[in-house]
Amino acid sequence: MAKADLHIHTTASDGRMSPDEVVRQAVRLNLSVIAITDHDTIAGISAARNKASIYDLHVLPGVEITTSFGDRECHLLAYLFDMDDELLNILLQKHQSVRIRRAHQIIEKLQKKGLELDIDEVLAEADTSTVGRPHIAEILHKRGYVRSVREAFIRYLSDKALGTIHTDYCSFSGAVDIIQDAGGVAVLAHPGRMYSLKELEQLTDKGIDGIEVMHPSHNDEIRSRMEKFALEHCLLASGGSDFHGSKKSSYSHFGSLTISEKQVEEIKACAQRRKKIVA
Ligand code: AMP
Ligand code: ZN
Ligand code: FE
Ligand code: FE
């Protein structure tokens, strides 16, 4: 049976493996379809597609867009959009700047707590990748403030530890519209532990096409609940490992947390219908 993983990060954002390495690993793990879904960037996709062309592996265009939903950040996955779409590219470009400003704010907060680190160090750690909290966590680890990235999140970088950060991410509904106007499919990421039923209904009302049912943060009970929610609301059921590239990590479900080819076909059919409407 063909297996697909539609949630994977690479070094284009906060993953540890390059797009090439991810493709080689996906082939070893017998996956037949993957989507590269880096945070707010599509920079890793072409390299992954080039590499995959020598194997029997399909790489779908994907991205995990950070959006604002009330005062929260909400991750929205997009698939099978036109990679040259102007508005989508403008949104992703804007989010790169938003993330740099956000990193400045986070560093200031940490400095106030007495930690010595500066923005240049964090930006150098991220290099050409989308900058995010994992890069700050890495610096905190290197400086010996914490014993692990996990501890950095618990002590300093969780939403609770950070408090309010003013960001200017695109609104959730604006991002759904941009994805769909670009001929893509909009899927709510890891909904299981993030939202109340009421919030899930509100997000669904913004016109998403699907939700992640399979995700490492979902236990069996959440998975069944999400499956039922998708069925009742005529939403596509998607998912993947949310792989960030560490073979050592116990959070690595790459190769084992998958969806079926039939589910991928349904996502593709949605994109095809959309392209006919957009065109
Ligand atoms: P950001 O994009 O800056 O909001 O950071 C979010 C990313 O941080 C997620 O995609 C994960 O890669 C990582 N992350 C979030 N929570 C944790 C955690 N508790 N431990 C390790 N990494 C985390
Ligand atoms: Zn991440
Ligand atoms: Fe996410
Ligand atoms: Fe992710």
Side-chain angles (χ1 to χ4, degrees), residues 7 9 37 39 64 75 190 242 244:
H7 194 152
H9 296 271
T37 53
H39 297 286
E64 184 172 15
H75 288 184
H190 39 70
D242 208 351
H244 279 77

Side-chain angles (χ1 to χ4, degrees), residues 1-253:
M1 260 272 283
K3 291 185 299 178
D5 184 336
L6 300 192
H7 194 152
I8 300 173
H9 296 271
T10 75
T11 46
S13 63
D14 56 4
R16 284 167 196 265
M17 281 190 185
S18 68
D20 267 32
E21 288 171 312
V22 162
V23 165
R24 280 203 298 271
Q25 186 66 5
V27 171
R28 274 187 226 117
L29 294 168
N30 269 324
L31 292 167
S32 55
V33 183
I34 62 168
I36 302 291
T37 53
D38 276 306
H39 297 286
D40 296 309
T41 183
I42 56 173
I45 297 170
S46 300
R49 292 192 124 181
N50 287 342
K51 188 78 188 169
S53 63
I54 57 172
Y55 303 107
D56 194 16
L57 175 73
H58 296 277
V59 178
L60 309 184
V63 60
E64 184 172 15
I65 301 177
T66 316
T67 70
S68 63
F69 173 59
D71 56 3
R72 293 164 67 185
E73 290 176 11
C74 176
H75 288 184
L76 179 62
L77 292 156
Y79 299 109
L80 294 159
F81 44 81
D82 169 8
M83 300 224 297
D84 294 324
D85 183 81
E86 196 181 347
L87 278 184
L88 180 60
N89 279 287
I90 290 172
L91 178 151
L92 298 178
Q93 201 57 51
K94 182 187 155 199
H95 281 199
Q96 296 299 317
S97 319
V98 171
R99 280 176 166 275
I100 292 171
R101 286 198 294 275
R102 174 173 173 263
H104 274 276
Q105 288 185 62
I106 295 175
I107 300 295
E108 269 172 36
K109 286 201 176 217
L110 297 180
Q111 284 168 341
K112 281 192 187 138
K113 287 185 179 176
L115 305 185
E116 283 178 30
L117 73 171
D118 65 69
I119 186 72
D120 293 336
E121 226 180 332
V122 171
L123 296 180
E125 177 69 29
D127 195 13
T128 57
S129 319
T130 303
V131 66
R133 283 175 288 174
H135 301 110
I136 301 174
E138 202 58 58
I139 299 292
L140 291 176
H141 183 225
K142 276 187 190 163
R143 293 220 156 197
Y145 288 120
V146 290
R147 275 160 301 190
S148 66
V149 162
R150 200 178 116 77
E151 188 186 334
F153 268 88
I154 293 167
R155 287 182 60 186
Y156 299 112
L157 297 170
S158 67
D159 294 344
K160 197 165 152 231
L162 281 173
T164 312
I165 305 262
H166 299 283
T167 52
D168 198 14
Y169 288 121
C170 179
S171 69
F172 184 81
S173 63
V176 170
D177 290 347
I178 289 175
I179 292 164
Q180 295 178 343
D181 287 346
V185 176
V187 172
L188 180 63
H190 39 70
R193 291 185 193 275
M194 308 275 295
Y195 313 109
S196 66
L197 184 62
K198 190 174 161 215
E199 287 169 330
L200 257 182
E201 303 269 3
Q202 285 170 346
L203 292 164
T204 302
D205 286 346
K206 305 293 183 199
I208 50 171
D209 301 296
I211 59 170
E212 279 195 310
V213 169
M214 301 299 284
H215 187 271
S217 67
H218 295 177
N219 59 20
D220 289 349
E221 186 269 322
I222 294 176
R223 203 177 284 170
S224 320
R225 198 148 42 82
M226 292 303 115
E227 216 156 24
K228 188 162 167 272
F229 187 90
L231 257 173
E232 286 171 356
H233 295 78
C234 295
L235 294 168
L236 297 162
S238 185
S241 63
D242 208 351
F243 183 56
H244 279 77
S246 169
K247 274 181 263 184
K248 285 174 280 176
S249 163
S250 57
Y251 205 64
S252 169
H253 299 263

